[in-house]
Amino acid sequence: MMEHAIRAQINDRIEQNPAFYEKLSEQLRRIIEEMRQRVIDAAEACRRLATLREDVLGEAKIAA
């Protein structure tokens, strides 16, 4: 659920700052992939996703 919310935020804002949001999209992909490969556990994935979400929302606040 968190993945989809972050992805939606990225997709909504990617045209405003493509380089920044492409980087965040790549980070999201990497977190999901590491969780699927069991490199990280669900708790670590949630921590990383929460940090990524703050990055997405923080850039939007700065831009506003």
XYZ file of all heavy atoms in Angstrom:
521
model
N 0.822 -1.180 0.000
C 0.000 0.000 0.000
C 0.878 1.260 0.000
O 0.598 2.208 -0.732
C -0.902 -0.030 1.243
C -2.012 0.943 1.200
S -3.281 0.423 2.351
C -3.501 1.908 3.245
N 1.910 1.228 0.823
C 2.811 2.372 0.895
C 3.529 2.565 -0.442
O 3.708 3.687 -0.899
C 3.817 2.159 2.020
C 4.525 3.377 2.467
S 5.455 2.967 3.954
C 5.750 4.569 4.592
N 3.921 1.460 -1.063
C 4.577 1.535 -2.377
C 3.688 2.257 -3.385
O 4.144 3.141 -4.111
C 4.898 0.129 -2.884
C 5.372 0.102 -4.311
C 5.402 -1.294 -4.914
O 5.090 -2.275 -4.226
O 5.744 -1.387 -6.107
N 2.421 1.891 -3.415
C 1.505 2.479 -4.389
C 1.264 3.963 -4.125
O 1.171 4.761 -5.068
C 0.187 1.705 -4.402
C 0.349 0.289 -4.851
N 0.660 -0.052 -6.142
C 0.294 -0.878 -4.158
C 0.768 -1.365 -6.233
N 0.561 -1.886 -5.051
N 1.197 4.332 -2.854
C 1.007 5.742 -2.507
C 2.214 6.572 -2.934
O 2.067 7.659 -3.498
C 0.760 5.883 -1.006
N 3.412 6.043 -2.670
C 4.629 6.762 -3.061
C 4.735 6.847 -4.571
O 5.039 7.898 -5.130
C 5.878 6.102 -2.452
C 5.853 6.242 -0.934
C 7.158 6.707 -3.036
C 6.907 5.428 -0.217
N 4.456 5.742 -5.236
C 4.523 5.729 -6.703
C 3.541 6.740 -7.303
O 3.858 7.441 -8.262
C 4.242 4.327 -7.243
C 4.554 4.189 -8.714
C 4.413 2.777 -9.232
N 5.095 1.761 -8.462
C 6.404 1.514 -8.510
N 7.171 2.249 -9.282
N 6.942 0.546 -7.803
N 2.347 6.839 -6.719
C 1.351 7.798 -7.207
C 1.857 9.231 -7.032
O 1.701 10.062 -7.940
C 0.026 7.607 -6.476
N 2.476 9.518 -5.884
C 3.023 10.850 -5.646
C 4.124 11.167 -6.660
O 4.186 12.272 -7.196
C 3.594 10.949 -4.223
C 2.562 10.893 -3.139
C 1.725 12.149 -3.085
O 2.208 13.247 -3.315
N 0.453 11.988 -2.795
N 4.988 10.202 -6.904
C 6.076 10.392 -7.872
C 5.495 10.645 -9.259
O 5.903 11.582 -9.951
C 7.029 9.179 -7.874
C 7.831 9.143 -6.561
C 7.963 9.219 -9.085
C 8.644 7.875 -6.360
N 4.549 9.822 -9.661
C 3.955 9.966 -10.996
C 3.234 11.295 -11.162
O 3.248 11.883 -12.247
C 3.013 8.799 -11.288
C 3.762 7.509 -11.519
O 4.939 7.509 -11.880
N 3.103 6.393 -11.272
N 2.610 11.779 -10.090
C 1.910 13.061 -10.158
C 2.862 14.240 -10.319
O 2.509 15.256 -10.903
C 1.071 13.288 -8.890
C -0.170 12.425 -8.852
O -0.532 11.834 -9.895
O -0.786 12.334 -7.770
N 4.085 14.093 -9.803
C 5.005 15.232 -9.754
C 6.213 15.115 -10.685
O 7.013 16.044 -10.749
C 5.499 15.399 -8.325
C 4.388 15.742 -7.366
C 4.921 16.016 -5.990
N 3.862 16.499 -5.140
C 3.394 15.841 -4.098
N 3.924 14.696 -3.758
N 2.420 16.342 -3.381
N 6.343 14.029 -11.387
C 7.556 13.793 -12.179
C 7.794 14.872 -13.236
O 8.936 15.207 -13.533
C 7.563 12.381 -12.791
C 8.981 12.020 -13.209
C 6.573 12.271 -13.935
C 9.226 10.554 -13.371
N 6.743 15.449 -13.778
C 6.909 16.489 -14.797
C 7.468 17.780 -14.213
O 8.117 18.552 -14.916
C 5.578 16.755 -15.502
C 5.160 15.612 -16.394
C 3.864 15.891 -17.114
O 3.412 17.056 -17.140
O 3.299 14.939 -17.659
N 7.254 18.013 -12.933
C 7.744 19.228 -12.282
C 9.262 19.208 -12.097
O 9.908 20.244 -12.168
C 7.087 19.399 -10.912
C 5.598 19.572 -10.986
C 4.947 19.465 -9.610
O 5.621 19.340 -8.597
N 3.626 19.507 -9.600
N 9.802 18.023 -11.816
C 11.231 17.878 -11.551
C 11.652 16.457 -11.937
O 11.834 15.599 -11.069
C 11.518 18.167 -10.070
C 12.986 18.271 -9.779
O 13.827 17.835 -10.562
N 13.323 18.833 -8.633
N 11.800 16.192 -13.233
C 12.052 14.828 -13.701
C 13.288 14.160 -13.085
O 13.220 12.992 -12.701
C 12.221 14.983 -15.211
C 11.556 16.259 -15.552
C 11.682 17.131 -14.341
N 14.374 14.873 -12.980
C 15.603 14.260 -12.449
C 15.404 13.808 -11.008
O 15.783 12.690 -10.637
C 16.765 15.242 -12.543
N 14.822 14.661 -10.192
C 14.607 14.347 -8.782
C 13.675 13.152 -8.628
O 13.970 12.203 -7.898
C 14.035 15.566 -8.058
C 13.764 15.329 -6.602
C 14.808 15.292 -5.698
C 12.465 15.160 -6.139
C 14.555 15.082 -4.339
C 12.208 14.950 -4.801
C 13.267 14.910 -3.894
N 12.552 13.181 -9.329
C 11.568 12.117 -9.159
C 11.987 10.816 -9.832
O 11.592 9.736 -9.382
C 10.187 12.595 -9.611
C 9.604 13.568 -8.613
C 9.549 14.922 -8.888
C 9.156 13.134 -7.375
C 9.043 15.817 -7.963
C 8.651 14.023 -6.448
C 8.600 15.357 -6.737
O 8.107 16.240 -5.808
N 12.794 10.877 -10.874
C 13.348 9.644 -11.453
C 14.268 8.967 -10.437
O 14.263 7.746 -10.300
C 14.120 9.938 -12.739
C 13.244 10.243 -13.928
C 12.471 9.025 -14.426
O 12.901 7.882 -14.193
O 11.429 9.242 -15.051
N 15.046 9.777 -9.724
C 15.931 9.245 -8.692
C 15.106 8.574 -7.586
O 15.436 7.472 -7.144
C 16.783 10.372 -8.109
C 17.728 9.929 -7.035
C 18.525 11.099 -6.500
C 19.345 10.681 -5.295
N 19.942 11.813 -4.605
N 14.040 9.227 -7.161
C 13.187 8.640 -6.134
C 12.501 7.373 -6.629
O 12.358 6.402 -5.889
C 12.151 9.657 -5.658
C 12.694 10.868 -4.911
C 11.548 11.773 -4.483
C 13.546 10.478 -3.729
N 12.101 7.377 -7.879
C 11.483 6.191 -8.465
C 12.457 5.019 -8.467
O 12.076 3.882 -8.170
C 11.007 6.497 -9.881
O 10.371 5.384 -10.446
N 13.704 5.289 -8.778
C 14.728 4.247 -8.764
C 14.954 3.735 -7.344
O 15.116 2.525 -7.130
C 16.040 4.780 -9.356
C 17.178 3.805 -9.334
C 16.914 2.498 -10.068
O 16.104 2.478 -11.015
O 17.524 1.477 -9.683
N 14.962 4.622 -6.380
C 15.115 4.205 -4.980
C 13.949 3.311 -4.565
O 14.150 2.289 -3.899
C 15.190 5.415 -4.050
C 16.480 6.175 -4.150
C 16.464 7.428 -3.274
O 15.461 7.777 -2.658
N 17.593 8.111 -3.239
N 12.748 3.667 -4.970
C 11.570 2.869 -4.668
C 11.694 1.484 -5.286
O 11.455 0.474 -4.625
C 10.308 3.567 -5.175
C 8.996 2.808 -5.005
C 8.720 2.523 -3.534
C 7.854 3.591 -5.634
N 12.093 1.440 -6.546
C 12.261 0.151 -7.220
C 13.283 -0.717 -6.488
O 13.077 -1.905 -6.280
C 12.710 0.368 -8.667
C 12.755 -0.931 -9.493
C 13.634 -0.817 -10.714
N 15.009 -0.505 -10.413
C 15.906 -1.388 -9.919
N 15.549 -2.613 -9.633
N 17.161 -1.031 -9.691
N 14.381 -0.104 -6.060
C 15.436 -0.836 -5.370
C 14.953 -1.388 -4.025
O 15.231 -2.540 -3.678
C 16.643 0.081 -5.173
C 17.946 -0.615 -5.212
C 19.190 0.284 -5.221
N 19.026 1.631 -4.702
C 19.074 2.733 -5.444
N 19.259 2.669 -6.739
N 18.941 3.920 -4.897
N 14.207 -0.591 -3.278
C 13.679 -1.049 -1.987
C 12.759 -2.253 -2.182
O 12.878 -3.259 -1.479
C 12.915 0.090 -1.276
C 13.891 1.188 -0.839
C 12.144 -0.450 -0.069
C 13.217 2.485 -0.407
N 11.856 -2.149 -3.144
C 10.909 -3.245 -3.406
C 11.653 -4.501 -3.849
O 11.368 -5.605 -3.390
C 9.854 -2.816 -4.454
C 9.051 -1.614 -3.939
C 8.954 -3.978 -4.829
C 8.395 -1.799 -2.591
N 12.635 -4.327 -4.715
C 13.410 -5.471 -5.202
C 14.186 -6.139 -4.068
O 14.221 -7.368 -3.969
C 14.366 -5.035 -6.314
C 15.100 -6.175 -6.977
C 14.187 -7.173 -7.662
O 13.095 -6.789 -8.133
O 14.555 -8.365 -7.721
N 14.800 -5.344 -3.208
C 15.548 -5.915 -2.075
C 14.619 -6.655 -1.124
O 14.987 -7.692 -0.575
C 16.309 -4.817 -1.331
C 17.503 -4.307 -2.102
C 18.243 -3.178 -1.403
O 17.856 -2.782 -0.276
O 19.216 -2.672 -1.988
N 13.426 -6.151 -0.931
C 12.473 -6.836 -0.068
C 12.037 -8.160 -0.697
O 11.976 -9.186 -0.021
C 11.264 -5.958 0.203
C 10.363 -6.531 1.288
S 9.004 -5.441 1.739
C 7.982 -5.545 0.281
N 11.778 -8.148 -1.990
C 11.353 -9.376 -2.677
C 12.452 -10.438 -2.670
O 12.168 -11.623 -2.585
C 10.946 -9.065 -4.116
C 9.627 -8.362 -4.199
C 9.192 -8.122 -5.617
N 7.905 -7.434 -5.621
C 7.548 -6.540 -6.509
N 8.362 -6.215 -7.499
N 6.368 -5.954 -6.436
N 13.698 -9.998 -2.749
C 14.825 -10.938 -2.742
C 15.256 -11.296 -1.317
O 16.217 -12.013 -1.128
C 16.007 -10.345 -3.503
C 15.775 -10.213 -4.970
C 16.970 -9.602 -5.680
O 17.972 -9.224 -5.083
N 16.858 -9.499 -6.990
N 14.541 -10.752 -0.355
C 14.803 -10.988 1.062
C 16.173 -10.492 1.517
O 16.768 -11.024 2.437
C 14.597 -12.450 1.422
C 13.208 -12.944 1.103
C 12.874 -14.220 1.817
N 11.641 -14.793 1.347
C 10.435 -14.431 1.750
N 10.293 -13.465 2.596
N 9.358 -15.041 1.293
N 16.671 -9.463 0.827
C 17.904 -8.802 1.249
C 17.605 -7.981 2.497
O 18.420 -7.887 3.408
C 18.479 -7.915 0.117
C 19.671 -7.101 0.586
C 18.845 -8.778 -1.084
N 16.398 -7.388 2.530
C 15.939 -6.650 3.702
C 14.592 -7.227 4.127
O 13.867 -7.807 3.321
C 15.808 -5.137 3.424
C 14.819 -4.855 2.288
C 17.166 -4.517 3.139
C 14.521 -3.378 2.054
N 14.273 -7.070 5.413
C 12.980 -7.553 5.892
C 11.914 -6.466 5.743
O 12.212 -5.339 5.354
C 13.080 -8.052 7.333
C 13.492 -6.976 8.328
O 13.507 -5.779 7.973
O 13.803 -7.342 9.473
N 10.695 -6.834 6.054
C 9.577 -5.906 5.876
C 9.726 -4.659 6.748
O 9.390 -3.555 6.321
C 8.261 -6.613 6.175
N 10.250 -4.829 7.948
C 10.423 -3.678 8.843
C 11.415 -2.677 8.260
O 11.175 -1.468 8.273
C 10.883 -4.144 10.221
N 12.529 -3.176 7.734
C 13.522 -2.292 7.113
C 12.945 -1.639 5.864
O 13.175 -0.455 5.610
C 14.795 -3.070 6.779
C 15.860 -2.243 6.086
C 16.396 -1.079 6.911
O 16.270 -1.086 8.153
O 16.939 -0.143 6.298
N 12.195 -2.395 5.089
C 11.557 -1.826 3.891
C 10.608 -0.701 4.288
O 10.595 0.352 3.646
C 10.815 -2.914 3.120
N 9.845 -0.881 5.348
C 8.926 0.165 5.812
C 9.684 1.408 6.249
O 9.269 2.522 5.944
C 8.064 -0.357 6.958
S 6.754 -1.461 6.413
N 10.803 1.220 6.950
C 11.607 2.376 7.360
C 12.117 3.140 6.134
O 12.051 4.367 6.080
C 12.789 1.932 8.228
C 12.401 1.638 9.665
C 13.624 1.436 10.539
N 14.318 0.185 10.260
C 13.990 -0.997 10.760
N 12.958 -1.100 11.577
N 14.686 -2.077 10.464
N 12.624 2.404 5.155
C 13.142 3.048 3.947
C 12.036 3.726 3.153
O 12.219 4.812 2.602
C 13.870 2.027 3.070
C 15.165 1.547 3.675
C 15.856 0.610 2.732
N 17.037 0.019 3.324
C 17.857 -0.785 2.665
N 17.616 -1.100 1.395
N 18.909 -1.291 3.261
N 10.873 3.084 3.070
C 9.746 3.675 2.355
C 9.269 4.940 3.051
O 8.915 5.924 2.387
C 8.605 2.665 2.227
C 8.848 1.518 1.254
C 7.754 0.460 1.397
C 8.943 2.005 -0.178
N 9.266 4.946 4.380
C 8.860 6.138 5.118
C 9.826 7.286 4.841
O 9.399 8.433 4.644
C 8.797 5.837 6.611
N 11.119 6.988 4.796
C 12.118 8.008 4.483
C 11.923 8.527 3.069
O 11.970 9.740 2.822
C 13.539 7.439 4.646
O 13.701 7.006 6.002
C 14.594 8.463 4.298
N 11.685 7.616 2.136
C 11.457 8.003 0.747
C 10.208 8.877 0.628
O 10.202 9.880 -0.084
C 11.329 6.749 -0.121
C 11.199 6.957 -1.616
C 12.419 7.688 -2.171
C 11.043 5.612 -2.309
N 9.173 8.520 1.355
C 7.936 9.312 1.341
C 8.208 10.732 1.842
O 7.711 11.707 1.264
C 6.871 8.646 2.201
C 5.560 9.383 2.204
C 4.507 8.610 3.006
N 3.272 9.333 3.012
C 2.930 10.257 3.920
N 3.761 10.540 4.902
N 1.788 10.875 3.855
N 8.989 10.852 2.886
C 9.340 12.176 3.404
C 10.112 12.978 2.361
O 9.917 14.189 2.236
C 10.153 12.057 4.693
C 9.347 11.558 5.870
C 8.160 12.449 6.198
O 8.336 13.689 6.209
O 7.062 11.924 6.420
N 10.978 12.312 1.609
C 11.716 12.990 0.536
C 10.762 13.516 -0.534
O 10.908 14.636 -1.014
C 12.740 12.054 -0.105
C 13.894 11.705 0.812
O 14.077 12.406 1.845
O 14.627 10.746 0.506
N 9.798 12.678 -0.913
C 8.820 13.090 -1.929
C 8.016 14.288 -1.432
O 7.879 15.294 -2.136
C 7.861 11.918 -2.279
C 6.697 12.408 -3.125
C 8.606 10.810 -2.989
N 7.513 14.207 -0.223
C 6.693 15.291 0.314
C 7.529 16.528 0.618
O 7.054 17.640 0.442
C 5.960 14.820 1.568
C 4.936 13.698 1.345
C 4.354 13.264 2.676
C 3.859 14.128 0.377
N 8.758 16.340 1.030
C 9.634 17.469 1.327
C 9.945 18.298 0.101
O 9.939 19.526 0.150
N 10.207 17.658 -1.015
C 10.497 18.387 -2.260
C 9.279 19.171 -2.695
O 9.393 20.296 -3.144
C 10.930 17.409 -3.358
C 11.663 18.057 -4.520
C 10.750 18.719 -5.539
O 9.575 18.350 -5.607
O 11.224 19.596 -6.264
N 8.105 18.597 -2.516
C 6.885 19.297 -2.901
C 6.679 20.540 -2.045
O 6.273 21.591 -2.542
C 5.686 18.361 -2.771
N 7.006 20.449 -0.755
C 6.862 21.598 0.139
C 7.864 22.681 -0.234
O 7.534 23.870 -0.225
C 7.074 21.163 1.583
C 5.944 20.346 2.128
C 6.237 19.876 3.534
C 5.156 18.917 4.014
N 5.455 18.358 5.328
N 9.085 22.287 -0.567
C 10.110 23.248 -0.963
C 9.698 23.961 -2.251
O 9.831 25.176 -2.376
C 11.476 22.563 -1.118
C 11.998 22.119 0.244
C 12.491 23.493 -1.808
C 13.188 21.181 0.180
N 9.184 23.200 -3.203
C 8.777 23.766 -4.489
C 7.610 24.740 -4.325
O 7.521 25.734 -5.034
C 8.387 22.650 -5.454
N 6.739 24.442 -3.370
C 5.570 25.314 -3.146
C 6.043 26.618 -2.528
O 5.581 27.667 -2.795
C 4.570 24.633 -2.245
